[in-house]
Amino acid sequence: MTAFASNLGPNHAPDLGSDLGPDPASRRGPDLGTIWGVGLGPGDPELMSVKADRLLREARHVAFFRKAGREGQARRIIDGMLRADVSEIAMEYPVTTEIPLSDPRYNELLSAFYEESAARLRALSQAGEEVVVVSEGDPFFYGSFMHLHSRLSATCPVEVVPAITGMSAAWAATGAPITWGDDVLSTLMGTLPEAELVDHMQRADALVVMKIGRNIDKIRRALKQAGRYDAAWLVEYAAMPGETVQRLSEAEDKITPYFSIIVVHGQGRRP
């Protein structure tokens, strides 16, 4: 196997086309290789789609995101699936939690990282090579692949393979339906301001809270203010080794790992 790590950013709206010129697809050469954004699902390889499995086993180039110095969860999921001569492209985030999200440097560093990552993949596409970029969960659901897609889709053929999300695995792990009848489900990021969390929690019937980590105390306060705390479940490592499920109220002193999701089930109309 060959491998290289690249210190290759902010949200850019995808190019959906305009009336200012030809469709982006018409500007692509005929011999460009496809860049595949492949969702791996929540963590259990058996929950991966048949198409994702096939693309991975056939791929000559496989790219994945990770923290510097770490193997990366996406790479762990596909361990043992790749061909012997695969070229592995490890795209290492320049920042994780070292710089606050509100600091302008955070977006600047990430933007440069995604631009460099996209340039690396674009060069392979222009050489006629196909690349499989793997994503935990679904590529278009809060995934890093979105930032590559917005930078590549106007100049390269890009295809997305959807997948089961981590939150689907989390509510399945609780053994209860997340929504009934006309229930409204809200997916919230723990990074939101506390007042916004409370507002959404009060208006929705069912809740999924992601990006918990160091936001756990704020999330607990918001759930209590919204009157939803006693109904909240904490799921760690859903569909992965070490999966745990417990009421959030019973995990008061627990430090939540990165792969944690909070679930509040809807109780709506049913026959």
Side-chain angles (χ1 to χ4, degrees):
M1 285 186 190
T2 57
F4 61 85
S6 179
N7 289 330
L8 304 175
N11 296 333
H12 283 215
D15 183 355
L16 301 180
S18 71
D19 57 1
L20 300 180
D23 182 83
S26 68
R27 300 194 295 271
R28 300 173 184 153
D31 299 319
L32 295 178
T34 299
I35 297 171
W36 295 90
V38 174
L40 300 180
D44 182 349
E46 291 190 340
L47 295 177
M48 197 182 302
S49 71
V50 173
K51 185 171 185 176
D53 182 282
R54 175 179 60 78
L55 286 168
L56 276 165
R57 294 184 188 278
E58 296 174 353
R60 291 185 58 196
H61 303 278
V62 174
F64 50 90
F65 292 96
R66 70 181 183 190
K67 294 180 181 179
R70 305 282 186 87
E71 180 184 18
Q73 176 64 10
R75 180 60 183 82
R76 279 196 294 272
I77 294 172
I78 63 175
D79 192 41
M81 297 179 63
L82 307 180
R83 51 193 276 182
D85 61 345
V86 70
S87 170
E88 297 189 35
I89 305 166
M91 300 175 289
E92 296 184 344
Y93 295 109
V95 292
T96 50
T97 58
E98 297 87 353
I99 301 176
L101 293 175
S102 57
D103 191 318
R105 292 178 300 160
Y106 186 90
N107 269 354
E108 291 170 6
L109 285 168
L110 278 181
S111 181
F113 164 69
Y114 287 123
E115 290 289 351
E116 187 178 344
S117 296
R120 176 81 68 175
L121 301 180
R122 186 181 297 110
L124 285 167
S125 173
Q126 291 172 343
E129 298 286 341
E130 292 201 352
V131 186
V132 172
V133 184
V134 293
S135 302
E136 301 150 37
D138 184 276
F140 274 0
F141 189 71
Y142 300 108
S144 295
F145 178 76
M146 296 185 295
H147 305 299
L148 297 180
H149 183 274
S150 64
R151 289 165 167 81
L152 292 168
S153 58
T155 56
C156 304
V158 183
E159 299 285 344
V160 176
V161 180
I164 298 171
T165 63
M167 66 178 184
S168 299
W171 64 58
T174 68
I178 187 64
T179 50
W180 293 86
D182 303 320
D183 279 338
V184 174
L185 169 66
S186 284
T187 305
L188 306 176
M189 298 298 106
T191 51
L192 287 169
E194 187 170 329
E196 291 187 33
L197 286 171
V198 173
D199 179 56
H200 287 293
M201 289 172 177
Q202 289 176 328
R203 290 191 288 117
D205 301 302
L207 302 169
V208 171
V209 187
M210 304 170 64
K211 296 188 180 178
I212 300 172
R214 61 183 62 188
N215 299 295
I216 185 62
D217 290 335
K218 175 178 62 175
I219 295 167
R220 283 192 175 106
R221 291 194 304 269
L223 284 164
K224 289 175 181 178
Q225 292 178 60
R228 313 298 296 276
Y229 184 70
D230 290 337
W233 290 82
L234 175 65
V235 182
E236 299 173 336
Y237 299 108
M240 294 182 241
E243 175 184 282
T244 64
V245 183
Q246 64 185 134
R247 288 193 177 274
L248 182 60
S249 59
E250 298 171 355
E252 277 291 349
D253 299 321
K254 197 165 190 176
I255 298 175
T256 56
Y258 176 79
F259 293 102
S260 299
I261 292 177
I262 290 173
V263 172
V264 178
H265 303 85
Q267 300 297 327
R269 174 180 53 79
R270 61 194 77 178

